[in-house]
PDB file of all heavy atoms in Angstrom:
ATOM      1  N   GLY B 281     103.958-291.780  97.447  1.00 98.00           N
ATOM      2  CA  GLY B 281     103.898-293.104  96.841  1.00 98.00           C
ATOM      3  C   GLY B 281     103.755-292.920  95.330  1.00 98.00           C
ATOM      4  O   GLY B 281     102.919-292.178  94.854  1.00 98.00           O
ATOM      5  N   VAL B 282     104.635-293.625  94.630  1.00 98.00           N
ATOM      6  CA  VAL B 282     104.527-293.591  93.142  1.00 98.00           C
ATOM      7  C   VAL B 282     104.811-294.957  92.587  1.00 98.00           C
ATOM      8  O   VAL B 282     105.774-295.618  92.996  1.00 98.00           O
ATOM      9  CB  VAL B 282     105.442-292.475  92.570  1.00 98.00           C
ATOM     10  CG1 VAL B 282     106.886-292.651  92.951  1.00 98.00           C
ATOM     11  CG2 VAL B 282     105.316-292.381  91.062  1.00 98.00           C
ATOM     12  N   ARG B 283     103.963-295.404  91.728  1.00 98.00           N
ATOM     13  CA  ARG B 283     104.125-296.737  91.178  1.00 98.00           C
ATOM     14  C   ARG B 283     105.299-296.806  90.214  1.00 98.00           C
ATOM     15  O   ARG B 283     105.577-295.828  89.506  1.00 98.00           O
ATOM     16  CB  ARG B 283     102.835-297.167  90.426  1.00 98.00           C
ATOM     17  CG  ARG B 283     101.650-297.344  91.401  1.00 98.00           C
ATOM     18  CD  ARG B 283     100.860-298.562  91.028  1.00 98.00           C
ATOM     19  NE  ARG B 283      99.824-298.861  91.992  1.00 98.00           N
ATOM     20  CZ  ARG B 283      99.911-299.843  92.905  1.00 98.00           C
ATOM     21  NH1 ARG B 283     100.988-300.601  92.941  1.00 98.00           N
ATOM     22  NH2 ARG B 283      98.928-300.046  93.747  1.00 98.00           N
ATOM     23  N   PRO B 284     105.955-297.961  90.147  1.00 97.00           N
ATOM     24  CA  PRO B 284     107.108-298.138  89.254  1.00 97.00           C
ATOM     25  C   PRO B 284     106.780-297.793  87.801  1.00 97.00           C
ATOM     26  O   PRO B 284     107.625-297.356  87.056  1.00 97.00           O
ATOM     27  CB  PRO B 284     107.430-299.609  89.381  1.00 97.00           C
ATOM     28  CG  PRO B 284     106.922-300.021  90.728  1.00 97.00           C
ATOM     29  CD  PRO B 284     105.693-299.182  90.980  1.00 97.00           C
ATOM     30  N   GLU B 285     105.525-298.008  87.468  1.00 96.00           N
ATOM     31  CA  GLU B 285     105.072-297.750  86.067  1.00 96.00           C
ATOM     32  C   GLU B 285     105.087-296.236  85.724  1.00 96.00           C
ATOM     33  O   GLU B 285     105.044-295.890  84.560  1.00 96.00           O
ATOM     34  CB  GLU B 285     103.655-298.265  85.868  1.00 96.00           C
ATOM     35  CG  GLU B 285     103.552-299.794  85.838  1.00 96.00           C
ATOM     36  CD  GLU B 285     103.533-300.459  87.221  1.00 96.00           C
ATOM     37  OE1 GLU B 285     103.675-299.739  88.254  1.00 96.00           O
ATOM     38  OE2 GLU B 285     103.424-301.699  87.301  1.00 96.00           O
ATOM     39  N   TYR B 286     105.038-295.394  86.762  1.00 97.00           N
ATOM     40  CA  TYR B 286     104.917-293.965  86.502  1.00 97.00           C
ATOM     41  C   TYR B 286     106.200-293.184  86.710  1.00 97.00           C
ATOM     42  O   TYR B 286     106.168-291.953  86.831  1.00 97.00           O
ATOM     43  CB  TYR B 286     103.761-293.372  87.340  1.00 97.00           C
ATOM     44  CG  TYR B 286     102.444-293.998  86.982  1.00 97.00           C
ATOM     45  CD1 TYR B 286     101.554-294.453  87.931  1.00 97.00           C
ATOM     46  CD2 TYR B 286     102.049-294.116  85.642  1.00 97.00           C
ATOM     47  CE1 TYR B 286     100.353-295.053  87.625  1.00 97.00           C
ATOM     48  CE2 TYR B 286     100.861-294.719  85.291  1.00 97.00           C
ATOM     49  CZ  TYR B 286     100.016-295.178  86.283  1.00 97.00           C
ATOM     50  OH  TYR B 286      98.826-295.779  85.935  1.00 97.00           O
ATOM     51  N   GLY B 287     107.336-293.880  86.787  1.00 96.00           N
ATOM     52  CA  GLY B 287     108.618-293.227  86.790  1.00 96.00           C
ATOM     53  C   GLY B 287     109.286-293.527  85.445  1.00 96.00           C
ATOM     54  O   GLY B 287     109.284-294.689  85.031  1.00 96.00           O
ATOM     55  N   ARG B 288     109.792-292.517  84.796  1.00 94.00           N
ATOM     56  CA  ARG B 288     110.380-292.706  83.468  1.00 94.00           C
ATOM     57  C   ARG B 288     111.818-292.304  83.434  1.00 94.00           C
ATOM     58  O   ARG B 288     112.171-291.233  84.014  1.00 94.00           O
ATOM     59  CB  ARG B 288     109.575-291.800  82.481  1.00 94.00           C
ATOM     60  CG  ARG B 288     109.421-292.306  81.061  1.00 94.00           C
ATOM     61  CD  ARG B 288     108.203-291.626  80.412  1.00 94.00           C
ATOM     62  NE  ARG B 288     108.212-290.182  80.654  1.00 94.00           N
ATOM     63  CZ  ARG B 288     108.773-289.293  79.848  1.00 94.00           C
ATOM     64  NH1 ARG B 288     109.350-289.634  78.734  1.00 94.00           N
ATOM     65  NH2 ARG B 288     108.689-288.004  80.135  1.00 94.00           N
ATOM     66  N   LEU B 289     112.650-293.077  82.812  1.00 93.00           N
ATOM     67  CA  LEU B 289     114.075-292.681  82.680  1.00 93.00           C
ATOM     68  C   LEU B 289     114.143-291.661  81.544  1.00 93.00           C
ATOM     69  O   LEU B 289     113.544-291.855  80.479  1.00 93.00           O
ATOM     70  CB  LEU B 289     114.935-293.869  82.364  1.00 93.00           C
ATOM     71  CG  LEU B 289     115.167-294.872  83.519  1.00 93.00           C
ATOM     72  CD1 LEU B 289     116.049-296.035  83.070  1.00 93.00           C
ATOM     73  CD2 LEU B 289     115.780-294.207  84.739  1.00 93.00           C
ATOM     74  N   VAL B 290     114.833-290.542  81.830  1.00 91.00           N
ATOM     75  CA  VAL B 290     114.946-289.494  80.813  1.00 91.00           C
ATOM     76  C   VAL B 290     116.399-289.119  80.658  1.00 91.00           C
ATOM     77  O   VAL B 290     117.216-289.403  81.531  1.00 91.00           O
ATOM     78  CB  VAL B 290     114.081-288.258  81.214  1.00 91.00           C
ATOM     79  CG1 VAL B 290     112.610-288.578  81.125  1.00 91.00           C
ATOM     80  CG2 VAL B 290     114.452-287.768  82.622  1.00 91.00           C
ATOM     81  N   THR B 291     116.720-288.463  79.571  1.00 86.00           N
ATOM     82  CA  THR B 291     118.099-288.007  79.355  1.00 86.00           C
ATOM     83  C   THR B 291     118.271-286.576  79.818  1.00 86.00           C
ATOM     84  O   THR B 291     119.337-286.138  80.208  1.00 86.00           O
ATOM     85  CB  THR B 291     118.507-288.157  77.901  1.00 86.00           C
ATOM     86  OG1 THR B 291     117.456-287.615  77.062  1.00 86.00           O
ATOM     87  CG2 THR B 291     118.744-289.611  77.550  1.00 86.00           C
ATOM     88  N   GLN B 292     117.156-285.818  79.788  1.00 88.00           N
ATOM     89  CA  GLN B 292     117.209-284.430  80.245  1.00 88.00           C
ATOM     90  C   GLN B 292     116.110-284.171  81.236  1.00 88.00           C
ATOM     91  O   GLN B 292     115.053-284.792  81.178  1.00 88.00           O
ATOM     92  CB  GLN B 292     117.008-283.486  79.054  1.00 88.00           C
ATOM     93  CG  GLN B 292     118.227-283.514  78.136  1.00 88.00           C
ATOM     94  CD  GLN B 292     118.191-282.378  77.122  1.00 88.00           C
ATOM     95  OE1 GLN B 292     117.126-281.795  76.856  1.00 88.00           O
ATOM     96  NE2 GLN B 292     119.331-282.102  76.548  1.00 88.00           N
ATOM     97  N   GLY B 293     116.360-283.232  82.157  1.00 92.00           N
ATOM     98  CA  GLY B 293     115.355-282.934  83.186  1.00 92.00           C
ATOM     99  C   GLY B 293     115.332-284.035  84.218  1.00 92.00           C
ATOM    100  O   GLY B 293     116.244-284.829  84.353  1.00 92.00           O
ATOM    101  N   GLY B 294     114.259-284.097  84.990  1.00 95.00           N
ATOM    102  CA  GLY B 294     114.120-285.142  86.006  1.00 95.00           C
ATOM    103  C   GLY B 294     115.170-284.997  87.140  1.00 95.00           C
ATOM    104  O   GLY B 294     115.720-283.906  87.308  1.00 95.00           O
ATOM    105  N   LEU B 295     115.386-286.081  87.819  1.00 97.00           N
ATOM    106  CA  LEU B 295     116.301-286.093  88.967  1.00 97.00           C
ATOM    107  C   LEU B 295     117.254-287.255  88.832  1.00 97.00           C
ATOM    108  O   LEU B 295     116.892-288.296  88.229  1.00 97.00           O
ATOM    109  CB  LEU B 295     115.502-286.230  90.274  1.00 97.00           C
ATOM    110  CG  LEU B 295     114.640-285.002  90.658  1.00 97.00           C
ATOM    111  CD1 LEU B 295     113.565-285.378  91.642  1.00 97.00           C
ATOM    112  CD2 LEU B 295     115.522-283.884  91.220  1.00 97.00           C
ATOM    113  N   PRO B 296     118.457-287.151  89.400  1.00 97.00           N
ATOM    114  CA  PRO B 296     119.434-288.245  89.260  1.00 97.00           C
ATOM    115  C   PRO B 296     118.989-289.518  89.986  1.00 97.00           C
ATOM    116  O   PRO B 296     118.403-289.453  91.061  1.00 97.00           O
ATOM    117  CB  PRO B 296     120.697-287.693  89.903  1.00 97.00           C
ATOM    118  CG  PRO B 296     120.245-286.583  90.806  1.00 97.00           C
ATOM    119  CD  PRO B 296     118.972-286.015  90.199  1.00 97.00           C
ATOM    120  N   VAL B 297     119.295-290.644  89.379  1.00 97.00           N
ATOM    121  CA  VAL B 297     118.969-291.921  89.965  1.00 97.00           C
ATOM    122  C   VAL B 297     120.110-292.919  89.633  1.00 97.00           C
ATOM    123  O   VAL B 297     120.700-292.807  88.559  1.00 97.00           O
ATOM    124  CB  VAL B 297     117.595-292.432  89.430  1.00 97.00           C
ATOM    125  CG1 VAL B 297     117.644-292.774  87.950  1.00 97.00           C
ATOM    126  CG2 VAL B 297     117.085-293.634  90.226  1.00 97.00           C
ATOM    127  N   THR B 298     120.448-293.776  90.570  1.00 96.00           N
ATOM    128  CA  THR B 298     121.495-294.765  90.303  1.00 96.00           C
ATOM    129  C   THR B 298     120.870-296.116  89.995  1.00 96.00           C
ATOM    130  O   THR B 298     120.154-296.679  90.821  1.00 96.00           O
ATOM    131  CB  THR B 298     122.403-294.905  91.590  1.00 96.00           C
ATOM    132  OG1 THR B 298     122.834-293.622  91.952  1.00 96.00           O
ATOM    133  CG2 THR B 298     123.596-295.775  91.263  1.00 96.00           C
ATOM    134  N   VAL B 299     121.123-296.599  88.769  1.00 95.00           N
ATOM    135  CA  VAL B 299     120.594-297.896  88.395  1.00 95.00           C
ATOM    136  C   VAL B 299     121.487-298.989  88.936  1.00 95.00           C
ATOM    137  O   VAL B 299     122.666-299.001  88.682  1.00 95.00           O
ATOM    138  CB  VAL B 299     120.484-297.982  86.849  1.00 95.00           C
ATOM    139  CG1 VAL B 299     120.038-299.397  86.452  1.00 95.00           C
ATOM    140  CG2 VAL B 299     119.495-296.946  86.317  1.00 95.00           C
ATOM    141  N   ASN B 300     120.903-299.923  89.723  1.00 95.00           N
ATOM    142  CA  ASN B 300     121.699-301.006  90.319  1.00 95.00           C
ATOM    143  C   ASN B 300     121.615-302.294  89.510  1.00 95.00           C
ATOM    144  O   ASN B 300     122.549-303.036  89.421  1.00 95.00           O
ATOM    145  CB  ASN B 300     121.237-301.276  91.747  1.00 95.00           C
ATOM    146  CG  ASN B 300     121.364-300.027  92.625  1.00 95.00           C
ATOM    147  OD1 ASN B 300     122.345-299.299  92.531  1.00 95.00           O
ATOM    148  ND2 ASN B 300     120.339-299.781  93.422  1.00 95.00           N
ATOM    149  N   ARG B 301     120.423-302.503  88.929  1.00 95.00           N
ATOM    150  CA  ARG B 301     120.192-303.787  88.293  1.00 95.00           C
ATOM    151  C   ARG B 301     119.002-303.677  87.337  1.00 95.00           C
ATOM    152  O   ARG B 301     118.051-302.959  87.671  1.00 95.00           O
ATOM    153  CB  ARG B 301     119.854-304.822  89.368  1.00 95.00           C
ATOM    154  CG  ARG B 301     120.221-306.247  89.023  1.00 95.00           C
ATOM    155  CD  ARG B 301     120.197-307.166  90.237  1.00 95.00           C
ATOM    156  NE  ARG B 301     118.856-307.482  90.664  1.00 95.00           N
ATOM    157  CZ  ARG B 301     118.366-307.263  91.890  1.00 95.00           C
ATOM    158  NH1 ARG B 301     119.139-306.665  92.792  1.00 95.00           N
ATOM    159  NH2 ARG B 301     117.154-307.571  92.186  1.00 95.00           N
ATOM    160  N   VAL B 302     119.074-304.363  86.243  1.00 94.00           N
ATOM    161  CA  VAL B 302     117.915-304.365  85.328  1.00 94.00           C
ATOM    162  C   VAL B 302     117.473-305.834  85.166  1.00 94.00           C
ATOM    163  O   VAL B 302     118.295-306.713  84.844  1.00 94.00           O
ATOM    164  CB  VAL B 302     118.290-303.793  83.951  1.00 94.00           C
ATOM    165  CG1 VAL B 302     117.083-303.795  82.999  1.00 94.00           C
ATOM    166  CG2 VAL B 302     118.815-302.350  84.100  1.00 94.00           C
ATOM    167  N   GLU B 303     116.205-306.093  85.403  1.00 95.00           N
ATOM    168  CA  GLU B 303     115.658-307.439  85.224  1.00 95.00           C
ATOM    169  C   GLU B 303     114.733-307.457  84.059  1.00 95.00           C
ATOM    170  O   GLU B 303     113.779-306.684  83.986  1.00 95.00           O
ATOM    171  CB  GLU B 303     114.890-307.878  86.515  1.00 95.00           C
ATOM    172  CG  GLU B 303     115.783-307.995  87.725  1.00 95.00           C
ATOM    173  CD  GLU B 303     115.002-308.090  89.027  1.00 95.00           C
ATOM    174  OE1 GLU B 303     113.786-308.380  88.988  1.00 95.00           O
ATOM    175  OE2 GLU B 303     115.617-307.808  90.081  1.00 95.00           O
TER     176      GLU B 303
END
Side-chain angles (χ1 to χ4, degrees):
V282 57
R283 293 222 174 256
E285 289 80 357
Y286 298 132
R288 211 157 46 92
L289 289 179
V290 291
T291 45
Q292 289 192 342
L295 291 160
V297 66
T298 308
V299 174
N300 302 319
R301 206 166 75 237
V302 179
E303 295 165 19

